[in-house]
Amino acid sequence: MKRNVFVMIAVCGLVLSGGPAFAQLDNPDLPDREGVKIGDVIVHGAFKATEELETNIYLANTKEKFDAITILNPSAGIEIPLQKNRISIDYDAAVFLYGKYTTENHVDQRARALAEINLTDYKIKVEDVLRDYTDRAADENSRRVARFSNKLRAGVSTQLNKFGFDVGYTNIIDAYGSKDDLVYQSITYGDRDRVYNIVDMSVSYRFWPKTSLFFETDLGFIHYFNSSIPPDSWYIEPVVGIKGRPTNKILANAKAGFRYQGYNKSEIYNDKDFVGFVANGGLDYFLTEDDTLNFGFERGVYESLYQNMNYYIANILSLDYTHKFTKKFSCRAFGSYQLNTYPGQTVESGLYAKRYDNFYTGGASIRYDVRKWLSLEGKYEYEQRSSKFSAYDYTDNRIFFSGTGGF
């Protein structure tokens, strides 16, 4: 059924784009791949193999379990030009094979479709991402949970001399596996299946040749379609931001503003509304031609699976440094801090308090782009969670060795 949903969306994309798109779905492991041309059609294919060593596969605070995991990741895609426009469709799978704890073996799948229709004065863009996957671990707990999500957005935009406009509609379906497993009291994962309907509008003004200010407003509605117990909600989020290249050394895309999210009344759930500051984005600072510093940030609101909480607030800061030794050989160091907070008090092991979680991550990687069609990478990553409730604490170390080949 999930594949049928994607096929229907892809067909809709083909029908809609009787006129066309410069749409392309990239592969970060092969950023310079060119594909194989069959007439005007471009076909892509790739295969990535990764060996992962992980010290704490269940993210437990005691009795950590080590395993070696083989990840096989085939992918394929096609770009179809229609006059001046283009449609892209691709699919990839990730097969996780555990050396010791084989019951954790699983397959993740992702399918994407993208079309841009360039009219005389307007651009119509339709994009869809469908995922059938297993969470390695959510922010809130350490359990692996099978999930299905589909995000579809259709938008219309135009760029005048200095002003730009963009209006769009997004539909998101977020559903869980293990439908009968309990989340809290009699609430199951299936009860937390939800759908988002979001309308967005933005207006931009280009005040420098390569830099624009913009104002954006999202109006969203969240509905739990399997149960009336989790509270539905609606939100409005006006933000202002900047995007573009104000100097040769800075590339910016950042926004900040305000969000109000009102929840329906609930006898079981904490139905406190959210009113507060939100932000996300970042900037790249090009120290030299070979050195790039990236700073990222986010403050956002997410639906919660923890006990009877309706949401949590994520506050994230990240820093990433990349150095190119040569055109083909580079290294990267990265780190981040995340603080999740909850609106109400809960009880864990006799302690009655508001939960908060501190996340610390850091690591480094080395990458060698052997050819346009072949890349190699080694990476180390450290992660720690320190929670108000010690039952959620963990420390994890992961080492990756991977190679990607394709066209």
Side-chain angles (χ1 to χ4, degrees):
M1 179 177 177
K2 296 171 185 175
R3 288 182 179 174
N4 291 340
V5 172
F6 174 71
V7 170
M8 290 173 62
I9 291 169
V11 170
C12 288
L14 288 168
V15 172
L16 282 172
S17 38
F22 294 105
Q24 185 173 6
L25 299 168
D26 64 349
N27 183 328
D29 296 307
L30 299 172
D32 298 321
R33 69 178 184 177
E34 297 175 349
V36 174
K37 293 195 71 173
I38 304 174
D40 291 331
V41 175
I42 299 175
V43 178
H44 293 293
F47 185 84
K48 180 177 182 179
T50 302
E51 191 65 25
E52 176 185 345
L53 307 175
E54 183 171 4
T55 61
N56 188 5
I57 64 169
Y58 294 111
L59 303 184
N61 64 341
T62 59
K63 299 180 180 180
E64 300 176 358
K65 305 296 184 184
F66 170 87
D67 208 344
I69 308 161
T70 299
I71 307 168
L72 306 177
N73 182 200
S75 62
I78 186 170
E79 299 174 34
I80 307 170
L82 296 170
Q83 298 176 11
K84 296 181 181 180
N85 307 305
R86 188 177 304 238
I87 296 172
S88 296
I89 301 171
D90 76 355
Y91 168 83
D92 72 51
V95 182
F96 290 78
L97 303 172
Y98 285 73
K100 183 176 181 180
Y101 299 94
T102 56
T103 56
E104 299 301 325
N105 292 352
H106 64 276
V107 178
D108 290 352
Q109 301 180 82
R110 184 194 66 190
R112 301 185 294 180
L114 173 61
E116 292 177 3
I117 307 167
N118 293 309
L119 305 176
T120 303
D121 298 317
Y122 299 92
K123 177 187 290 184
I124 299 173
K125 185 175 181 179
V126 180
E127 52 189 325
D128 185 84
V129 180
L130 181 152
R131 296 181 65 203
D132 184 2
Y133 65 107
T134 299
D135 259 346
R136 175 178 171 272
D139 280 348
E140 299 181 276
N141 57 53
S142 299
R143 178 180 177 181
R144 284 177 170 80
V145 180
R147 298 184 69 170
F148 167 78
S149 69
N150 191 82
K151 181 178 181 179
L152 171 66
R153 183 185 186 272
V156 180
S157 63
T158 185
Q159 182 64 53
L160 306 177
N161 184 25
K162 288 186 176 294
F163 284 95
F165 302 90
D166 191 347
V167 178
Y169 164 74
T170 301
N171 175 268
I172 303 172
I173 297 172
D174 198 355
Y176 296 91
S178 306
K179 298 293 187 184
D180 298 327
D181 290 353
L182 294 178
V183 175
Y184 175 71
Q185 293 184 0
S186 60
I187 306 299
T188 66
Y189 280 97
D191 293 329
R192 298 294 288 175
D193 292 351
R194 55 191 178 267
V195 61
Y196 300 72
N197 289 286
I198 306 164
V199 178
D200 64 87
M201 181 276 294
S202 68
V203 179
S204 63
Y205 175 72
R206 189 172 64 241
F207 65 98
W208 281 343
K210 297 181 180 179
T211 308
S212 298
L213 291 173
F214 64 90
F215 170 79
E216 177 183 309
T217 300
D218 290 0
L219 175 63
F221 301 86
I222 304 174
H223 171 59
Y224 288 88
F225 53 83
N226 284 336
S227 174
S228 60
I229 299 176
D232 293 348
S233 65
W234 72 277
Y235 67 86
I236 186 167
E237 185 175 292
V239 297
V240 294
I242 184 172
K243 59 183 175 181
R245 195 155 190 162
T247 73
N248 288 333
K249 288 186 173 291
I250 295 176
L251 180 65
N253 188 356
K255 59 185 178 181
F258 167 86
R259 179 173 176 132
Y260 169 79
Q261 185 158 350
Y263 285 85
N264 293 348
K265 295 298 181 182
S266 174
E267 295 182 0
I268 294 179
Y269 275 82
N270 180 307
D271 50 22
K272 182 179 179 180
D273 297 343
F274 173 82
V275 183
F277 173 75
V278 292
N280 71 66
L283 62 86
D284 292 333
Y285 181 61
F286 302 98
L287 300 165
T288 69
E289 290 186 0
D290 299 322
D291 298 272
T292 304
L293 193 63
N294 173 268
F295 171 70
F297 61 88
E298 179 184 353
R299 176 178 165 84
V301 182
Y302 293 89
E303 296 295 283
S304 174
L305 281 174
Y306 174 62
Q307 289 202 22
N308 67 333
M309 296 293 102
N310 51 352
Y311 68 85
Y312 68 92
I313 303 167
N315 304 271
I316 306 170
L317 294 173
S318 65
L319 193 63
D320 189 308
Y321 169 71
T322 302
H323 174 72
K324 293 182 179 179
F325 294 98
T326 67
K327 186 176 180 180
K328 295 183 177 182
F329 183 54
S330 63
C331 69
R332 174 174 164 252
F334 55 89
S336 67
Y337 168 71
Q338 178 172 342
L339 171 64
N340 290 354
T341 61
Y342 292 80
Q345 294 182 314
T346 57
V347 178
E348 296 279 359
S349 301
L351 177 60
Y352 184 63
K354 284 187 177 182
R355 177 181 172 181
Y356 61 81
D357 298 327
N358 295 284
F359 294 84
Y360 308 91
T361 62
S365 66
I366 298 175
R367 178 185 174 96
Y368 181 43
D369 294 307
V370 185
R371 295 285 189 274
K372 290 182 178 180
W373 50 268
L374 178 64
S375 68
L376 303 173
E377 185 176 37
K379 183 170 72 171
Y380 166 74
E381 184 174 297
Y382 169 84
E383 182 175 353
Q384 178 185 356
R385 177 167 64 190
S386 177
S387 176
K388 174 65 176 180
F389 300 122
S390 60
Y392 297 101
D393 292 351
Y394 69 79
T395 299
D396 190 26
N397 295 272
R398 304 165 77 192
I399 297 175
F400 304 84
F401 301 98
S402 63
T404 306
F407 54 88

